[in-house]
Amino acid sequence: MEPGATDRMTKSQAVMAGQREFIFPAVQPFYDDPLVLDEGEGVWVRDADGVEYLDLFSGILTTSVGHCNPHVVERSRAQMGRLGHTSTLYVTKPQVEAAERLAAIAPGRLSQTFFTNSGTEAIETAITMAFLHTGRSEVIALRQAYHGRSFLASNITAVDVWRPLATSFPGIKHALTPYPYRCPFKQPCDESCTEAFVNDLEDVIRTTTNGRPAAFIAESIMGVGGYIVPPPGYFARAAEIIRSYGGLFISDEVQSGFGRSGKHWFAIEHSGVEPDIMVMAKGIANGAPVGATITRPDIAESWKAKTISTFGGSPVSMAAAAATLEVMVNEDVPSRAEERGSQLVKGLRELQGKHDWIGDVRGMGLMQALELVEDRDSKTPSPRHAKALMEAAKDERLLIGQGGVSGHVIRLGPSLLITEEEIREGLERFGRSCQGMEDAL
Ligand code: PMP
C-alpha cells in the first residue's frame, strides 16, 4: 500500500486494504463490500465505522450465548490472568470442568472427551478413533456434507467448492443425501423415503467398500449443505445399518449441537439414537477456538498411541467452554431455542407465502434456512436471489448467512439467548430485505 493511502479511507476500507494485501485470497468474506466487524454485544455487532447490525448468523452459529456474553468474558479474562497455557502435558481444572459439563449433557454413555482447537481437528480425532477402535479404514459420509478443511476432512466433505484438491484420501465413500426438498424418490418426501435412502447407504457399503467399514459419519442437520433435515427415522435406520456391518456411527454436531435444534441438547437426540462418537465445536465456547470429540470409555481406550495438542484444552478456552455450558444450562437453551425457533419459523413461512422464490423453509429450533429458487414450480436453485438477499439484508443492517451446494440457501442461526422482541425486529428487517430485493431484481 502507498504511504498515506489509508488516510483517505474509512476505517473499514483501511482494514480491508490490509486484508487484500496480507491474507490468502482464498478467504472470501460475505458481500461485494465485505463487512469489517469491530464490536459485539448479545445479538448486536458494530462495524469499524460504528454502524450497528442485528446478527442472526452469530459468526456461523458460534456466539451461542451472545457476543461478549459477560459471564464467558469474565471467566476467560480471569483465567488468562491466572494461568494462560499449559499444554495437555499438565492437568488443569478448567479442562476437567469443561469435560464434566459436556458429559452431563451428552447423550447416553458418551463421557470421555478430547479437546482440540477446531471442528476440523475434532473430526480428524473422531475418524482416527473409529479406525483404531474397529481396526478398519473405510468411512462413509453423505454427499453435500461439510466436515472441515484439512486433507482428510475436506475429502469427507462432499461439496465441490470446499474441496481444494483432486487428490483423494483413500477409503472415503459417499451415500445419497437424505434431502426431502429434492428427494429423488417421492414428493412430498416422507417416512416412506427413509428406507430408500438407507438402502442406498447399504448399497454403498456393499458395492464400494470391502464390506467392513469403520464408520458412517453425518451431520445431524447438514449445515453448509443448507440446513437439510433428513426424513423421520433416517438416523435410527442408518445407525442400525452401519452397526450391522460392524462400523461406528459418528454424529457431527458442530453446527446443530448445544440446544440449537430445540428441546434436546443435541439434534441427533430427536432421532432417539446414541452415537458412538460425537463431534462438537462452534457454539461450545461462544467463540473461543474449541473442538471436542466425545465417546464411550470402551471406545476411547482403543487409542493406545500417545497424542497431544499443544493448544487443545488450553485453560483459557476451557474456561470459556465451561462458562458457556454453565450459561446454557442455567438459561435452559434447548427450551428457549424451541420457543424462539417456532416464532422465527412462523415469520419465515409468512414470508414464503408472499414470495414465490422462497422454495423451502426448513430446519429445527434456532437453525432455520430458506432454499431460494427461480420459482416454486421449477425449483431451480437461485444463487442470484441469495446473493441479492444477502446484500439487501446488509442494507437493512441485518446479518444472515448463505450456504447450500449452489450458494442458494439463506441460513439463520442467532444467539440461543435471543429475545422475542429481537426475533420480531429481525423478522421485520428480513421482510423489508425480501421486498427490497424483489423490487430491485
Ligand atoms: N463440521 C461441520 C458440520 C461444520 O459446519 C464445520 C465448520 N463449518 C466443521 C465441521 C469444521 O469446523 P472448523 O471450521 O472449526 O474446523
Side-chain angles (χ1 to χ4, degrees):
M1 225 182 301
E2 285 169 39
T6 54
D7 298 349
R8 295 184 297 276
M9 298 175 181
T10 64
K11 288 182 186 152
S12 293
Q13 285 167 341
V15 178
M16 259 317 290
Q19 165 101 0
R20 281 194 201 96
E21 195 166 350
F22 299 114
I23 302 290
F24 277 17
V27 178
Q28 289 174 10
F30 281 151
Y31 312 117
D32 290 338
D33 187 11
L35 255 187
V36 177
L37 292 182
D38 190 42
E39 286 177 280
E41 189 184 344
V43 290
W44 300 94
V45 286
R46 255 187 300 281
D47 72 12
D49 297 297
V51 180
E52 191 170 63
Y53 296 82
L54 174 53
D55 185 3
L56 293 190
F57 198 43
S58 37
I60 328 180
L61 320 189
T62 297
T63 49
S64 48
V65 290
H67 290 281
C68 302
N69 181 286
H71 185 58
V72 181
V73 169
E74 199 33 58
R75 274 204 66 178
S76 315
R77 207 197 300 268
Q79 186 60 47
M80 192 56 148
R82 185 184 181 92
L83 181 69
H85 175 73
T86 59
S87 88
T88 47
L89 293 176
Y90 304 91
V91 177
T92 66
K93 199 169 155 200
Q95 182 170 203
V96 174
E97 183 189 336
E100 203 173 331
R101 285 186 181 278
L102 262 190
I105 61 168
R109 295 157 295 169
L110 304 181
S111 63
Q112 293 193 329
T113 298
F114 187 81
F115 288 108
T116 52
N117 311 288
S118 65
T120 298
E121 288 169 87
I123 290 287
E124 294 267 338
T125 307
I127 301 289
T128 307
M129 181 64 92
F131 286 3
L132 290 171
H133 182 70
T134 58
R136 303 168 172 194
S137 56
E138 288 187 297
V139 56
I140 296 121
L142 292 174
R143 294 186 197 156
Q144 309 196 18
Y146 184 92
H147 294 291
R149 60 173 299 280
S150 65
F151 183 36
L152 170 63
S154 66
N155 261 260
I156 302 175
T157 291
V159 180
D160 53 3
V161 295
W162 298 111
R163 290 173 62 118
L165 301 170
T167 320
S168 298
F169 193 97
I172 297 169
K173 312 292 174 191
H174 290 97
L176 262 185
T177 315
Y179 191 167
Y181 184 60
R182 296 189 183 276
C183 177
F185 303 112
K186 182 168 156 271
Q187 282 299 340
C189 170
D190 60 26
E191 217 159 349
S192 68
C193 305
T194 296
E195 214 45 37
F197 284 116
V198 168
N199 285 344
D200 178 71
L201 172 63
E202 183 158 21
D203 205 42
V204 168
I205 296 173
R206 300 223 38 209
T207 60
T208 73
T209 76
N210 65 359
R212 295 186 296 282
F216 168 59
I217 180 167
E219 298 158 85
S220 308
I221 300 174
M222 301 182 82
V224 170
Y227 296 178
I228 299 169
V229 182
Y234 176 78
F235 285 120
R237 288 286 294 120
E240 235 170 72
I241 295 288
I242 189 69
R243 285 169 179 157
S244 73
Y245 284 85
L248 302 182
F249 174 47
I250 305 174
S251 264
D252 182 338
E253 289 273 353
V254 167
Q255 292 212 15
S256 55
F258 301 105
R260 171 78 44 201
S261 64
K263 191 167 170 187
H264 294 293
W265 282 105
F266 295 94
I268 195 62
E269 293 175 273
H270 293 272
S271 307
V273 179
E274 180 184 322
D276 299 299
I277 304 177
M278 196 168 78
V279 179
M280 298 148 283
K282 293 206 194 284
I284 188 173
N286 207 41
V290 178
T293 310
I294 194 167
T295 189
R296 302 191 302 265
D298 64 297
I299 296 178
E301 70 172 15
S302 308
W303 194 312
K304 305 286 186 208
K306 296 209 305 185
T307 191
I308 185 171
S309 175
T310 302
F311 295 118
S314 132
V316 179
S317 46
M318 289 298 99
T324 304
L325 293 170
E326 193 181 344
V327 173
M328 286 175 165
V329 169
N330 290 345
E331 297 288 343
D332 188 10
V333 291
S335 305
R336 288 181 79 124
E338 188 178 23
E339 227 174 282
R340 294 284 72 78
S342 8
Q343 184 192 353
L344 181 60
V345 175
K346 188 165 170 281
L348 295 177
R349 289 206 195 288
E350 277 168 24
L351 286 172
Q352 186 185 27
K354 290 187 196 152
H355 303 287
D356 190 46
W357 43 267
I358 302 180
D360 194 22
V361 175
R362 60 167 178 257
M364 295 177 92
L366 282 175
M367 188 170 177
Q368 295 292 335
L370 296 98
E371 178 156 344
L372 308 190
V373 290
E374 287 296 337
D375 56 80
R376 243 173 261 157
D377 288 338
S378 75
K379 284 191 174 180
T380 308
S382 181
R384 75 184 179 104
H385 279 90
K387 184 173 184 309
L389 188 51
M390 289 292 289
E391 296 290 344
K394 183 178 169 228
D395 293 342
E396 290 290 341
R397 309 282 185 252
L398 179 72
L399 302 190
I400 56 178
Q402 198 175 349
V405 251
S406 307
H408 65 298
V409 179
I410 292 296
R411 302 184 292 163
L412 305 177
S415 158
L416 300 167
L417 301 188
I418 194 166
T419 63
E420 186 175 354
E421 174 54 26
E422 286 163 341
I423 291 265
R424 203 188 51 69
E425 174 69 32
L427 281 167
E428 268 175 26
R429 291 185 191 209
F430 194 58
R432 287 199 297 271
S433 314
C434 290
Q435 198 54 56
M437 183 275 266
E438 190 172 283
D439 296 344
L441 267 186

